[in-house]
Every structure is written in C-alpha cells, then in structure tokens.
C-alpha cells in the first residue's frame, strides 16, 4: 500500500515470466519458481503474474497451472491474477503495436531488443 494525501492506495506488484518450449527440466524450474513467487506473495499488495509463452510453453503452462498446481482452488489474502499470453496467437497484434509505437521498422527493433523489452507496452 502507498500513502497518498493521507489515504492508503493499494498497489499491485507485477512479475513477468517469458517461456519457450516444453522441456521437462525447464518446466520443472518454472514450476519451482512460480510456487516460490506465489507462496511468498506480498502481504500488503495484490500480485499479477504475466506469462508470455510460445505455443508449446503456453500449453504446458496451462496444464501446470490448472491440472498440477490446482491454482483455481487456492484462497489467498490479496488478489493474485495470472495472465498468460500466447505469442503465436498475438503475433500480429504485437507486430502492429510495435509498428504503431515506434517509427522504426519492426524487424530492426526486434533485432535490437527482445520481446520482453516491449512487454510493458502491451500490459
């Protein structure tokens, strides 16, 4: 919470994961990291976890979140949101937003910066 003009204003902490592929070891590391973030979520703030994933990682994360961790059954003190973005499904939108935001050609921008650099523009 942040104090502003003698009022307590709730704030949200944002966490970003960028996933690619569905290799067992990689998903095991992601599972461990996600559990740690969830179990140590802030007591005085809401939490939003953004997961940007390609097709294989998107499907694997969906299975992990719903079938293995049963996150839809959790009860928490503050609100926790999980937003999962499939880069393949949103590829055209991402290209359009980048082209609209910058005057440079998308190909030039993506060669210099990864998608994670632009993530804040999309959320």
């Amino acid at each position: 919470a942040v104090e502003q003009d003698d009022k307590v204003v709730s704030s949200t902490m944002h966490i970003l994961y960028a996933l690619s592929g569905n290799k067992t070891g990689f998903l095991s590391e992601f599972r461990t990291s996600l559990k740690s973030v969830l179990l140590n979520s802030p007591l005085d703030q809401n939490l939003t976890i953004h997961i940007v994933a390609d097709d294989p990682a998107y499907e694997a994360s969906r299975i992990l979140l719903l079938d293995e961790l049963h996150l839809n059954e959790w009860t928490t003190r503050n609100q926790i949101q999980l937003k999962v973005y499939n880069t393949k499904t949103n590829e055209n939108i991402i290209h359009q937003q980048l082209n609209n935001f910058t005057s440079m050609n998308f190909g030039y921008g993506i060669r210099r910066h990864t998608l994670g650099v632009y993530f804040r523009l999309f959320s």
Side-chain angles (χ1 to χ4, degrees):
V2 177
E3 290 188 31
Q4 245 180 3
D5 300 325
D6 298 326
K7 296 179 185 175
V8 176
V9 179
S10 177
S11 59
T12 301
M13 177 182 285
H14 293 268
I15 303 288
L16 168 65
Y17 284 100
L19 307 177
S20 179
N22 60 0
K23 302 285 187 219
T24 305
F26 171 71
L27 293 174
S28 178
E29 289 179 17
F30 169 61
R31 179 186 304 109
T32 302
S33 175
L34 182 62
K35 283 182 186 179
S36 178
V37 167
L38 291 169
L39 293 174
N40 294 294
S41 64
L43 299 175
D44 58 345
Q45 294 178 303
N46 294 328
L47 176 65
T48 301
I49 300 172
H50 303 272
I51 302 171
V52 179
D54 62 8
D55 277 335
Y58 180 83
E59 287 303 317
S61 64
R62 189 176 65 80
I63 292 168
L64 172 70
L65 298 173
L66 297 175
D67 297 341
E68 293 180 30
L69 297 180
H70 304 284
L71 291 183
N72 53 341
E73 299 171 9
W74 283 35
T75 302
T76 58
R77 180 184 297 195
N78 294 320
Q79 180 178 3
I80 297 178
Q81 291 184 5
L82 280 108
K83 297 182 178 184
V84 183
Y85 309 91
N86 185 336
T87 57
K88 188 64 175 171
T89 303
N90 298 313
E91 189 173 19
N92 290 335
I93 295 168
I94 292 169
H95 283 237
Q96 183 180 11
Q97 287 178 334
L98 286 175
N99 282 327
N100 290 340
F101 180 75
T102 65
S103 59
M104 68 178 81
N105 179 304
F106 176 75
Y108 173 74
I110 203 66
R111 281 193 304 270
R112 290 188 61 211
H113 305 290
T114 64
L115 182 61
V117 172
Y118 296 104
F119 179 75
R120 295 184 74 162
L121 303 174
F122 310 131
S123 59

mmCIF file of all heavy atoms in Angstrom, residues 3 12 15 17 21 23-24 31 47 52 55-56 64-65 72 74 76 79 82 89 103-104 109 112 114:
data_model
loop_
_atom_site.group_PDB
_atom_site.id
_atom_site.type_symbol
_atom_site.label_atom_id
_atom_site.label_comp_id
_atom_site.label_asym_id
_atom_site.label_seq_id
_atom_site.Cartn_x
_atom_site.Cartn_y
_atom_site.Cartn_z
ATOM 1 N N GLU A 3 0.878 5.464 0.645
ATOM 2 C CA GLU A 3 0.130 6.578 1.220
ATOM 3 C C GLU A 3 0.189 7.752 0.276
ATOM 4 O O GLU A 3 1.252 8.152 -0.168
ATOM 5 C CB GLU A 3 0.695 6.959 2.587
ATOM 6 C CG GLU A 3 0.428 5.917 3.629
ATOM 7 C CD GLU A 3 0.817 6.390 5.012
ATOM 8 O OE1 GLU A 3 0.725 7.594 5.278
ATOM 9 O OE2 GLU A 3 1.214 5.527 5.807
ATOM 10 N N THR A 12 -0.188 -2.784 -6.985
ATOM 11 C CA THR A 12 -0.046 -4.156 -7.462
ATOM 12 C C THR A 12 1.397 -4.409 -7.860
ATOM 13 O O THR A 12 2.004 -3.596 -8.538
ATOM 14 C CB THR A 12 -0.967 -4.400 -8.679
ATOM 15 O OG1 THR A 12 -2.307 -4.152 -8.295
ATOM 16 C CG2 THR A 12 -0.839 -5.810 -9.192
ATOM 17 N N ILE A 15 4.935 -9.443 -11.903
ATOM 18 C CA ILE A 15 6.030 -10.379 -12.173
ATOM 19 C C ILE A 15 5.863 -10.854 -13.617
ATOM 20 O O ILE A 15 4.758 -11.143 -14.056
ATOM 21 C CB ILE A 15 5.968 -11.610 -11.233
ATOM 22 C CG1 ILE A 15 5.986 -11.199 -9.770
ATOM 23 C CG2 ILE A 15 7.081 -12.592 -11.558
ATOM 24 C CD1 ILE A 15 7.297 -10.679 -9.264
ATOM 25 N N TYR A 17 7.153 -13.661 -16.529
ATOM 26 C CA TYR A 17 7.880 -14.856 -16.970
ATOM 27 C C TYR A 17 7.807 -14.891 -18.496
ATOM 28 O O TYR A 17 6.756 -14.627 -19.074
ATOM 29 C CB TYR A 17 7.224 -16.134 -16.443
ATOM 30 C CG TYR A 17 7.486 -16.422 -14.995
ATOM 31 C CD1 TYR A 17 6.536 -16.119 -14.023
ATOM 32 C CD2 TYR A 17 8.668 -17.037 -14.588
ATOM 33 C CE1 TYR A 17 6.766 -16.402 -12.686
ATOM 34 C CE2 TYR A 17 8.900 -17.317 -13.254
ATOM 35 C CZ TYR A 17 7.945 -17.003 -12.310
ATOM 36 O OH TYR A 17 8.177 -17.279 -10.995
ATOM 37 N N GLY A 21 9.192 -23.303 -25.226
ATOM 38 C CA GLY A 21 9.387 -24.749 -25.257
ATOM 39 C C GLY A 21 8.711 -25.456 -24.099
ATOM 40 O O GLY A 21 8.122 -24.836 -23.228
ATOM 41 N N LYS A 23 10.313 -28.447 -22.481
ATOM 42 C CA LYS A 23 11.250 -29.455 -21.965
ATOM 43 C C LYS A 23 10.998 -29.679 -20.476
ATOM 44 O O LYS A 23 10.721 -28.744 -19.734
ATOM 45 C CB LYS A 23 12.695 -29.003 -22.175
ATOM 46 C CG LYS A 23 13.056 -28.733 -23.615
ATOM 47 C CD LYS A 23 13.233 -30.011 -24.374
ATOM 48 C CE LYS A 23 13.758 -29.696 -25.762
ATOM 49 N NZ LYS A 23 13.221 -30.471 -26.795
ATOM 50 N N THR A 24 11.092 -30.919 -20.034
ATOM 51 C CA THR A 24 10.762 -31.300 -18.661
ATOM 52 C C THR A 24 11.579 -30.526 -17.629
ATOM 53 O O THR A 24 11.035 -30.007 -16.656
ATOM 54 C CB THR A 24 10.981 -32.811 -18.465
ATOM 55 O OG1 THR A 24 10.222 -33.507 -19.454
ATOM 56 C CG2 THR A 24 10.548 -33.244 -17.089
ATOM 57 N N ARG A 31 8.063 -24.319 -12.565
ATOM 58 C CA ARG A 31 7.129 -24.717 -11.504
ATOM 59 C C ARG A 31 7.666 -24.289 -10.136
ATOM 60 O O ARG A 31 6.961 -23.706 -9.334
ATOM 61 C CB ARG A 31 6.883 -26.223 -11.540
ATOM 62 C CG ARG A 31 5.949 -26.727 -10.452
ATOM 63 C CD ARG A 31 5.831 -28.246 -10.404
ATOM 64 N NE ARG A 31 5.423 -28.821 -11.677
ATOM 65 C CZ ARG A 31 6.211 -29.534 -12.487
ATOM 66 N NH1 ARG A 31 7.462 -29.779 -12.152
ATOM 67 N NH2 ARG A 31 5.756 -30.011 -13.618
ATOM 68 N N LEU A 47 -1.045 -9.075 -6.483
ATOM 69 C CA LEU A 47 0.020 -9.615 -7.316
ATOM 70 C C LEU A 47 -0.548 -10.004 -8.670
ATOM 71 O O LEU A 47 -1.581 -10.658 -8.746
ATOM 72 C CB LEU A 47 0.642 -10.849 -6.642
ATOM 73 C CG LEU A 47 1.711 -11.610 -7.413
ATOM 74 C CD1 LEU A 47 2.954 -10.748 -7.614
ATOM 75 C CD2 LEU A 47 2.071 -12.901 -6.682
ATOM 76 N N VAL A 52 4.416 -14.826 -20.676
ATOM 77 C CA VAL A 52 4.469 -14.705 -22.128
ATOM 78 C C VAL A 52 5.103 -15.990 -22.641
ATOM 79 O O VAL A 52 6.214 -16.329 -22.245
ATOM 80 C CB VAL A 52 5.305 -13.483 -22.556
ATOM 81 C CG1 VAL A 52 5.373 -13.372 -24.065
ATOM 82 C CG2 VAL A 52 4.739 -12.206 -21.950
ATOM 83 N N ASP A 55 3.796 -21.376 -28.345
ATOM 84 C CA ASP A 55 2.760 -22.422 -28.351
ATOM 85 C C ASP A 55 3.043 -23.599 -27.407
ATOM 86 O O ASP A 55 2.205 -23.930 -26.576
ATOM 87 C CB ASP A 55 2.520 -22.954 -29.770
ATOM 88 C CG ASP A 55 1.575 -22.080 -30.573
ATOM 89 O OD1 ASP A 55 0.761 -21.371 -29.962
ATOM 90 O OD2 ASP A 55 1.666 -22.114 -31.805
ATOM 91 N N PRO A 56 4.214 -24.246 -27.507
ATOM 92 C CA PRO A 56 4.460 -25.397 -26.620
ATOM 93 C C PRO A 56 4.457 -25.003 -25.134
ATOM 94 O O PRO A 56 3.905 -25.705 -24.291
ATOM 95 C CB PRO A 56 5.834 -25.912 -27.048
ATOM 96 C CG PRO A 56 6.071 -25.368 -28.409
ATOM 97 C CD PRO A 56 5.316 -24.080 -28.476
ATOM 98 N N LEU A 64 0.100 -27.082 -16.278
ATOM 99 C CA LEU A 64 0.739 -26.893 -14.972
ATOM 100 C C LEU A 64 -0.158 -26.096 -14.028
ATOM 101 O O LEU A 64 -0.371 -26.487 -12.880
ATOM 102 C CB LEU A 64 2.080 -26.175 -15.148
ATOM 103 C CG LEU A 64 2.779 -25.729 -13.868
ATOM 104 C CD1 LEU A 64 3.303 -26.937 -13.102
ATOM 105 C CD2 LEU A 64 3.893 -24.765 -14.172
ATOM 106 N N LEU A 65 -0.699 -24.989 -14.492
ATOM 107 C CA LEU A 65 -1.484 -24.097 -13.633
ATOM 108 C C LEU A 65 -2.799 -24.717 -13.184
ATOM 109 O O LEU A 65 -3.203 -24.559 -12.028
ATOM 110 C CB LEU A 65 -1.747 -22.774 -14.355
ATOM 111 C CG LEU A 65 -0.513 -21.959 -14.716
ATOM 112 C CD1 LEU A 65 -0.893 -20.759 -15.568
ATOM 113 C CD2 LEU A 65 0.241 -21.532 -13.484
ATOM 114 N N ASN A 72 -6.772 -22.757 -9.451
ATOM 115 C CA ASN A 72 -8.162 -22.285 -9.396
ATOM 116 C C ASN A 72 -8.839 -22.639 -8.075
ATOM 117 O O ASN A 72 -9.926 -22.158 -7.792
ATOM 118 C CB ASN A 72 -8.965 -22.813 -10.585
ATOM 119 C CG ASN A 72 -8.883 -24.318 -10.731
ATOM 120 O OD1 ASN A 72 -7.982 -24.949 -10.187
ATOM 121 N ND2 ASN A 72 -9.812 -24.874 -11.473
ATOM 122 N N TRP A 74 -7.079 -22.267 -5.022
ATOM 123 C CA TRP A 74 -6.348 -21.585 -3.959
ATOM 124 C C TRP A 74 -7.175 -20.439 -3.383
ATOM 125 O O TRP A 74 -7.954 -19.797 -4.072
ATOM 126 C CB TRP A 74 -5.058 -20.998 -4.498
ATOM 127 C CG TRP A 74 -3.950 -21.978 -4.725
ATOM 128 C CD1 TRP A 74 -4.073 -23.270 -5.138
ATOM 129 C CD2 TRP A 74 -2.563 -21.742 -4.574
ATOM 130 N NE1 TRP A 74 -2.845 -23.846 -5.263
ATOM 131 C CE2 TRP A 74 -1.896 -22.928 -4.920
ATOM 132 C CE3 TRP A 74 -1.818 -20.651 -4.192
ATOM 133 C CZ2 TRP A 74 -0.513 -23.053 -4.884
ATOM 134 C CZ3 TRP A 74 -0.440 -20.766 -4.168
ATOM 135 C CH2 TRP A 74 0.201 -21.951 -4.506
ATOM 136 N N THR A 76 -6.348 -16.872 -1.244
ATOM 137 C CA THR A 76 -5.250 -16.011 -0.834
ATOM 138 C C THR A 76 -5.778 -14.769 -0.135
ATOM 139 O O THR A 76 -6.944 -14.409 -0.279
ATOM 140 C CB THR A 76 -4.408 -15.567 -2.046
ATOM 141 O OG1 THR A 76 -5.258 -14.896 -2.974
ATOM 142 C CG2 THR A 76 -3.759 -16.754 -2.730
ATOM 143 N N GLN A 79 -5.580 -10.306 -3.802
ATOM 144 C CA GLN A 79 -5.875 -10.791 -5.145
ATOM 145 C C GLN A 79 -4.583 -11.161 -5.872
ATOM 146 O O GLN A 79 -3.612 -10.415 -5.856
ATOM 147 C CB GLN A 79 -6.616 -9.717 -5.938
ATOM 148 C CG GLN A 79 -6.968 -10.136 -7.336
ATOM 149 C CD GLN A 79 -7.739 -9.051 -8.072
ATOM 150 O OE1 GLN A 79 -7.968 -7.975 -7.564
ATOM 151 N NE2 GLN A 79 -8.126 -9.352 -9.280
ATOM 152 N N LEU A 82 -3.234 -14.270 -12.725
ATOM 153 C CA LEU A 82 -2.284 -14.856 -13.661
ATOM 154 C C LEU A 82 -2.789 -14.558 -15.064
ATOM 155 O O LEU A 82 -3.920 -14.914 -15.407
ATOM 156 C CB LEU A 82 -2.173 -16.375 -13.461
ATOM 157 C CG LEU A 82 -1.294 -16.752 -12.298
ATOM 158 C CD1 LEU A 82 -2.119 -17.270 -11.172
ATOM 159 C CD2 LEU A 82 -0.284 -17.746 -12.740
ATOM 160 N N THR A 89 -0.447 -16.636 -31.001
ATOM 161 C CA THR A 89 -1.804 -16.131 -31.215
ATOM 162 C C THR A 89 -1.810 -14.623 -31.347
ATOM 163 O O THR A 89 -2.564 -14.064 -32.140
ATOM 164 C CB THR A 89 -2.718 -16.546 -30.033
ATOM 165 O OG1 THR A 89 -2.683 -17.952 -29.909
ATOM 166 C CG2 THR A 89 -4.138 -16.092 -30.245
ATOM 167 N N SER A 103 8.610 4.507 -34.766
ATOM 168 C CA SER A 103 8.672 4.895 -36.174
ATOM 169 C C SER A 103 9.616 3.990 -36.954
ATOM 170 O O SER A 103 9.703 4.084 -38.163
ATOM 171 C CB SER A 103 9.130 6.348 -36.290
ATOM 172 O OG SER A 103 10.406 6.493 -35.697
ATOM 173 N N MET A 104 10.324 3.098 -36.231
ATOM 174 C CA MET A 104 11.270 2.202 -36.898
ATOM 175 C C MET A 104 10.558 0.952 -37.418
ATOM 176 O O MET A 104 9.482 0.606 -36.956
ATOM 177 C CB MET A 104 12.403 1.805 -35.957
ATOM 178 C CG MET A 104 11.988 0.912 -34.809
ATOM 179 S SD MET A 104 13.333 0.420 -33.743
ATOM 180 C CE MET A 104 13.488 1.856 -32.730
ATOM 181 N N GLY A 109 13.738 -3.207 -34.935
ATOM 182 C CA GLY A 109 13.531 -3.123 -33.490
ATOM 183 C C GLY A 109 13.679 -4.464 -32.800
ATOM 184 O O GLY A 109 14.285 -4.564 -31.742
ATOM 185 N N ARG A 112 17.262 -5.583 -32.325
ATOM 186 C CA ARG A 112 17.995 -4.866 -31.277
ATOM 187 C C ARG A 112 17.486 -5.209 -29.892
ATOM 188 O O ARG A 112 18.227 -5.122 -28.925
ATOM 189 C CB ARG A 112 17.862 -3.359 -31.485
ATOM 190 C CG ARG A 112 18.615 -2.881 -32.703
ATOM 191 C CD ARG A 112 18.651 -1.388 -32.788
ATOM 192 N NE ARG A 112 19.332 -0.843 -31.610
ATOM 193 C CZ ARG A 112 19.046 0.334 -31.087
ATOM 194 N NH1 ARG A 112 18.103 1.076 -31.624
ATOM 195 N NH2 ARG A 112 19.694 0.772 -30.038
ATOM 196 N N THR A 114 14.650 -7.664 -27.314
ATOM 197 C CA THR A 114 13.789 -8.835 -27.211
ATOM 198 C C THR A 114 12.361 -8.392 -26.938
ATOM 199 O O THR A 114 12.116 -7.232 -26.588
ATOM 200 C CB THR A 114 14.251 -9.745 -26.054
ATOM 201 O OG1 THR A 114 14.108 -9.025 -24.836
ATOM 202 C CG2 THR A 114 15.689 -10.197 -26.248
#
